[in-house]
Amino acid sequence: MLRATLKGMASRKARLVLTSLAVVLGTMFVAAAMVLTATMEKSVAGVIADAYTGVDAVVTRDAESGGMGGPGNPAAMAIPADILEQVRATDGVDRADGAVEGQVKAIGDDGKLVGTFAPTIGLNWASGEGQGDYIEVRDGRGPEADGEVAVSAKFAADSGFTVGDSVTVYSDTVNREDAVDYEIVGIYGLSGDRDSLAGETQIAFSTGDAQRLLTGGEDVYTSIYVYGDAVDTDAIAAAVGSDFKVQTGEEASEAAAQGFAVVSDFMGYIFLGFGLVAVFVSIFLIINTFTIIVSQRQRELALLRAIGAGRGQVVRSVLTEALIIGIGASVIGFGLGLLLGWGLSEVVSSTMMGGLPVRLLIPATTLWALAVGIGVTVLSALLPAVKASSVPPVAAMREAVNPPKPLRGITIAGGTVFLAGAVLLAFGLTDNLGGEKLTGILVGVGIAFVGVTMLTPILSRPLVALLGAVMSWSFSGRLGKLNAGRNPRRTAITASALMIAVALITGIATLVSSIKSTTAEALDLNLDSDLIVSGAQGGASIPSFSPQKVEEIRALPEVEEVGDLYADFSNTKVNGEEAVLSSSSDLEAALAVVGGTVADGSVSDLAADAVVVDEGTAEDRGVAVGDTVDVTFSDGTTEPLRIAALLEGYDLTNGWWVSPAQVEHFMVQKPMQAYIAVADGADVAAVQDEVHEILRDEPEVGVTNNAEFVEQQTGGLDTILAAVQILLALAMIIAVIGVVNTLVLSVLERTRELGLLRAVGMTRGQVRRMITVESVIICVFGAVLGIAVGIGLGWTVQQALEEEGLANFALPWGLIVTYLVAAVVVGLLAAIAPAARAAKLNVLGAIAYE
């Protein structure tokens, strides 16, 4: 039986290759995802370790012991200068350097911010110089006095500046109007010939300038680097006290690497997810291929049964073939996955991590990709193998093979599964699952999706007939329609691969459209403003602008009202619970243009000891007008504030609003946005131009109308959608392979039939058109079903998130049409090879087939 199996495989090389391709692709992406994640984690850890080379201990503020904020708020993480002296005086310490590090903002030669995606990090040169070979000066020198800076090579490349130029730098501590021009005296890189650590740009200042920019000019540091052969971290911890954390260089390196590894983990999970989608889609292709092979080999299998082969031997024969294919294809996919993982690591490094040196790591867990590929192949072949064992020996003496099984059983089973999923989904959407609502909805969607897949054969009959009616205007078209509908199971399982890909894409696109529609409607219904001043956030930086600009905008004769918005959300709390704090220089004006109203109390001339909250938040927290709450700001200050009013209306007014007098405690003490209402009859476009002129020297923000603001706020969703579409193209490729495989095997199965058609006068061109129509019908059927399922998936998610604010359901009509057109193109491409093969059949040879 083994020799018969091997000889049978050798005689069907085309089938072998087509079946193997799906397994190769699925295994490849699973392996690549694991290699990408492990490689980027190792690379990041290696780079961070380089940064701490020679550092024996690191002292930082302990956030849990009084320090608030983080890298975006270095002033709140301050270490007093006397702590540095205590560290230096500790036994075993040879040298200790105070470091001042945080995010700054620099204006490039184009007048825009440098590093809007990745942040610009400011540091004092003494701390960088003290780390030995980690900093490599490439041109000029390091700063030796106030007013001088050295910049990283990536900053020089992104900004267009070079040694001798001046660069304007400010920060959240230093307002834009108080920004100072610094002379660039040097350009440096990092060890390993890198221009950046992880995509950021850097500027190194004198210690005094760094403190002025990042700590408000106080003589404090954000961390202390300690060197010495006999450094004792316990002794240092005892010297500095419990408010500070002391780590070894290795511990600090590991902690820093964990933060950077989030990016690589995220990318790895994405590729792993799509790898598993590829594997899932491959299952349909493998099942279909083995089903067709078993069908075509019924006489062969019957002969084996007739000469004494038992059912178990037949099952083992088919499973052996699957095992051989699975092992061979998985090994090839595994090897390609290692190469792809390395390549993806290089891409992620160069595009997102600033040229991070890639340190390839192939973890032992990558072997799971082999197990997945082999296991999926064998399990997918199990049902066809059992079917093969049921072939009666008498079939060897018949010309006709067993007719397709009736669809009653699969239809009843599919309907039952779909109904179970629909019931669970309905319970979730009607809030009958309590705290498990979201879990119930997701499980219900999954079960219903499986049910739809099982119902695909019965659905194929009416849909294929309907789609075929459009293409059956010719003799070839009518035959193609009949061929597509003659075996509903085969058509359904072939189309299912395409259905899954299109369903996922359509579902995500529908969700994105719904978010955009909800955002646009919320602005139209609630905002009474005509123009909005805002900016795109880059890194941890919050776009902001000078408060004086608000007054200049208010002074414009065509402007009726301006509401500015301040926000603080870095470790801010109310009564110990996390909360976002907001403020406005004129809260009444802000409410007038953003659609909020006062439900109880007053917001006029809000006192410094007062706070305002929306009704929903007040109900959740169990507070009311007149109550006192403890408000903690990002600088660590906690003050008792009295609730002066409750708000209702637009979501933008939700949360806690404090007096302008409290803005001094905010991490960013400048407005982030401003909403402008234009006087009736005024030219909005002309006012927008005037505001643009006012903001000309504000590189972080711009002015947009409401429609442009929606596009600005939702632009990232389009990027995500594009990335998902590109990645899910993998499933489309497997779907194409599935259609090609089915058609090729179908052509082989219908060799005599095709020969008879040619013998009675059918031309080669008609044969090609017949196969092409069959291919297009299968692909369009899969796309139509996928679009329907995807719309249902998007609607379900929208309904589940309706209480979270996703109120509108909107369809991406443009993309839906695109997917239908793409299905036709896929059908045309998939038909090329099978149609050519069918057209080239020798008429006499085909008639004499078998």
Side-chain angles (χ1 to χ4, degrees):
M1 288 297 292
L2 179 59
R3 287 195 295 271
T5 300
L6 294 176
K7 286 183 178 181
M9 293 177 63
S11 65
R12 298 185 293 270
K13 297 182 179 64
R15 303 178 193 178
L16 181 66
V17 171
L18 288 171
T19 307
S20 300
L21 278 176
V23 184
V24 167
L25 289 172
T27 307
M28 179 179 69
F29 262 72
V30 173
M34 294 179 175
V35 171
L36 170 66
T37 303
T39 296
M40 293 310 299
E41 287 181 355
K42 180 180 179 182
S43 301
V44 168
V47 169
I48 298 296
D50 290 344
Y52 286 91
T53 299
V55 178
D56 297 293
V58 179
V59 181
T60 56
R61 167 77 71 170
D62 189 346
E64 296 181 357
S65 300
M68 302 294 296
N73 188 15
M77 297 297 292
I79 302 175
D82 62 333
I83 296 296
L84 174 60
E85 296 306 319
Q86 293 176 25
V87 172
R88 286 173 173 168
T90 304
D91 291 341
V93 174
D94 296 335
R95 191 178 87 248
D97 296 330
V100 183
E101 298 173 342
Q103 190 166 324
V104 296
K105 302 173 183 179
I107 303 175
D109 61 357
D110 59 354
K112 303 297 182 181
L113 285 185
V114 178
T116 54
F117 175 72
T120 297
I121 302 299
L123 65 150
N124 62 322
W125 180 252
S127 64
E129 191 178 40
Q131 294 178 47
D133 296 333
Y134 177 60
I135 296 289
E136 301 172 347
V137 177
R138 298 181 183 175
D139 189 13
R141 57 176 175 81
E144 298 175 351
D146 291 349
E148 296 180 342
V149 296
V151 299
S152 65
K154 180 168 175 49
F155 181 92
D158 289 357
S159 66
F161 291 136
T162 186
V163 173
D165 291 337
S166 294
V167 58
T168 303
V169 184
Y170 60 106
S171 67
D172 291 333
T173 302
V174 176
N175 290 330
R176 168 68 183 88
E177 55 271 20
D178 298 324
V180 174
D181 290 340
Y182 296 87
E183 180 186 359
I184 299 176
V185 297
I187 297 175
Y188 64 90
L190 306 180
S191 60
D193 198 31
R194 286 169 290 134
D195 295 343
S196 170
L197 178 64
E200 85 293 345
T201 55
Q202 297 183 12
I203 305 178
F205 304 85
S206 67
T207 297
D209 280 340
Q211 290 174 332
R212 185 180 69 85
L213 280 166
L214 298 171
T215 68
E218 297 183 22
D219 188 15
V220 295
Y221 304 92
T222 57
S223 56
I224 298 174
Y225 297 111
V226 184
Y227 307 86
D229 295 334
V231 168
D232 184 347
T233 55
D234 291 336
I236 296 175
V240 299
S242 59
D243 287 347
F244 303 94
K245 180 168 59 178
V246 182
Q247 297 173 292
T248 64
E250 291 80 4
E251 291 171 341
S253 173
E254 291 175 3
Q258 288 178 358
F260 283 105
V262 171
V263 175
S264 59
D265 287 344
F266 179 71
M267 295 296 296
Y269 292 145
I270 289 177
F271 280 99
L272 180 59
F274 285 103
L276 294 177
V277 168
V279 171
F280 184 59
V281 172
S282 300
I283 292 174
F284 292 91
L285 172 56
I286 297 167
I287 291 176
N288 205 24
T289 300
F290 275 96
T291 300
I292 296 173
I293 290 174
V294 167
S295 177
Q296 293 176 354
R297 294 172 57 197
Q298 283 205 23
R299 293 189 67 194
E300 172 191 332
L301 294 171
L303 284 171
L304 290 173
R305 291 291 311 281
I307 62 176
R311 287 193 172 189
Q313 288 178 301
V314 173
V315 171
R316 288 193 293 273
S317 173
V318 176
L319 292 181
T320 298
E321 182 173 346
L323 180 62
I324 294 172
I325 291 174
I327 292 174
S330 296
V331 168
I332 294 172
F334 182 79
L336 293 175
L338 299 185
L339 292 175
L340 179 61
W342 171 76
L344 290 173
S345 299
E346 292 284 357
V347 171
V348 172
S349 169
S350 61
T351 58
M352 301 181 64
M353 307 293 282
L356 183 78
V358 173
R359 306 184 187 194
L360 184 64
L361 175 62
I362 303 175
T365 53
T366 310
L367 294 175
W368 278 106
L370 285 173
V372 169
I374 297 170
V376 162
T377 307
V378 174
L379 289 176
S380 300
L382 183 59
L383 287 177
V386 173
K387 180 181 178 181
S389 70
S390 65
V391 176
V394 73
M397 296 179 287
R398 295 201 303 253
E399 184 65 30
V401 296
N402 293 331
K405 287 184 178 181
L407 301 178
R408 181 180 301 172
I410 188 76
T411 301
I412 293 175
T416 303
V417 172
F418 177 77
L419 183 61
V423 169
L424 185 58
L425 186 59
F427 272 101
L429 292 176
T430 54
D431 293 328
N432 287 312
L433 296 178
E436 302 299 324
K437 172 183 176 180
L438 184 59
T439 302
I441 289 175
L442 294 177
V443 173
V445 167
I447 294 175
F449 185 80
V450 173
V452 170
T453 304
M454 296 173 68
L455 289 172
T456 307
I458 197 67
L459 294 174
S460 70
R461 283 181 169 173
L463 285 176
V464 166
L466 180 63
L467 295 171
V470 180
M471 305 179 190
S472 58
W473 49 270
S474 67
F475 173 69
S476 299
R478 287 193 294 273
L479 285 179
K481 182 188 76 170
L482 292 173
N483 288 335
R486 68 161 61 176
N487 193 326
R489 289 175 181 267
R490 183 180 301 176
T491 298
I493 203 167
T494 303
S496 292
L498 188 62
M499 179 198 75
I500 293 169
V502 174
L504 290 174
I505 296 174
T506 304
I508 295 172
T510 300
L511 185 60
V512 169
S513 296
S514 299
I515 293 173
K516 284 188 170 184
S517 175
T518 300
T519 304
E521 184 178 275
L523 289 175
D524 290 339
L525 293 178
N526 295 284
L527 285 183
D528 293 325
S529 65
D530 301 289
L531 300 171
I532 301 172
V533 177
S534 63
Q537 182 167 338
S541 176
I542 301 172
S544 59
F545 57 101
S546 169
Q548 284 71 30
K549 301 299 181 182
V550 176
E551 299 306 320
E552 293 180 36
I553 295 171
R554 282 189 176 129
L556 293 175
E558 300 88 354
V559 171
E560 183 175 314
E561 200 75 79
V562 179
D564 52 3
L565 172 65
Y566 296 74
D568 200 22
F569 42 80
S570 177
N571 288 299
T572 51
K573 299 178 180 179
V574 174
N575 284 345
E577 296 183 39
E578 292 185 359
V580 175
L581 304 180
S582 303
S583 187
S584 175
S585 60
D586 187 341
L587 184 53
E588 286 185 297
L591 294 177
V593 291
V594 299
T597 57
V598 179
D600 186 14
S602 173
V603 299
S604 179
D605 297 325
L606 199 62
D609 65 346
V611 65
V612 176
V613 63
D614 70 281
E615 288 183 314
T617 303
E619 183 178 351
D620 291 342
R621 299 291 183 96
V623 294
V625 172
D627 291 348
T628 298
V629 293
D630 291 327
V631 177
T632 302
F633 299 90
S634 62
D635 66 352
T637 301
T638 297
E639 293 191 8
L641 301 182
R642 175 184 52 84
I643 298 178
L646 298 181
L647 303 178
E648 64 179 357
Y650 180 43
D651 287 344
L652 188 62
T653 64
N654 288 350
W656 302 85
W657 291 75
V658 298
S659 165
Q662 301 289 5
V663 170
E664 64 179 5
H665 299 302
F666 283 21
M667 185 173 70
V668 178
Q669 299 171 13
K670 296 180 289 185
M672 299 168 51
Q673 293 178 335
Y675 296 83
I676 306 168
V678 175
D680 293 340
D683 186 342
V684 175
V687 176
Q688 184 173 0
D689 290 339
E690 291 180 303
V691 175
H692 177 74
E693 285 298 317
I694 292 175
L695 299 173
R696 181 171 294 278
D697 59 347
E698 292 288 349
E700 300 178 41
V701 297
V703 58
T704 62
N705 58 40
N706 288 1
E708 293 168 339
F709 180 71
V710 172
E711 288 299 318
Q712 182 188 80
Q713 297 302 308
T714 60
L717 295 174
D718 292 327
T719 303
I720 294 173
L721 179 60
V724 169
Q725 287 175 317
I726 292 172
L727 290 171
L728 282 176
L730 168 69
M732 300 284 282
I733 293 172
I734 298 177
V736 172
I737 295 173
V739 176
V740 172
N741 206 6
T742 298
L743 292 176
V744 168
L745 296 175
S746 181
V747 166
L748 291 173
E749 187 178 59
R750 305 196 316 251
T751 297
R752 177 170 291 182
E753 174 189 319
L754 292 169
L756 287 172
L757 289 173
R758 293 279 284 116
V760 297
M762 194 173 192
T763 65
R764 289 185 174 182
Q766 288 177 313
V767 172
R768 291 192 185 94
R769 286 192 292 275
M770 178 184 70
I771 300 297
T772 301
V773 167
E774 182 179 353
S775 175
V776 171
I777 288 175
I778 292 174
C779 289
V780 173
F781 166 61
V784 169
L785 198 57
I787 289 171
V789 172
I791 290 174
L793 177 63
W795 177 83
T796 302
V797 174
Q798 181 269 325
Q799 290 293 306
L801 298 176
E802 188 172 21
E803 294 181 359
E804 305 300 324
L806 189 56
N808 286 9
F809 175 72
L811 293 176
W813 291 110
L815 289 176
I816 288 174
V817 173
T818 301
Y819 300 153
L820 288 174
V821 173
V824 174
V825 173
V826 166
L828 294 173
L829 294 175
I832 293 175
R837 183 185 183 94
K840 291 179 182 179
L841 285 176
N842 181 279
V843 177
L844 295 179
I847 294 175
Y849 184 67
E850 293 187 347

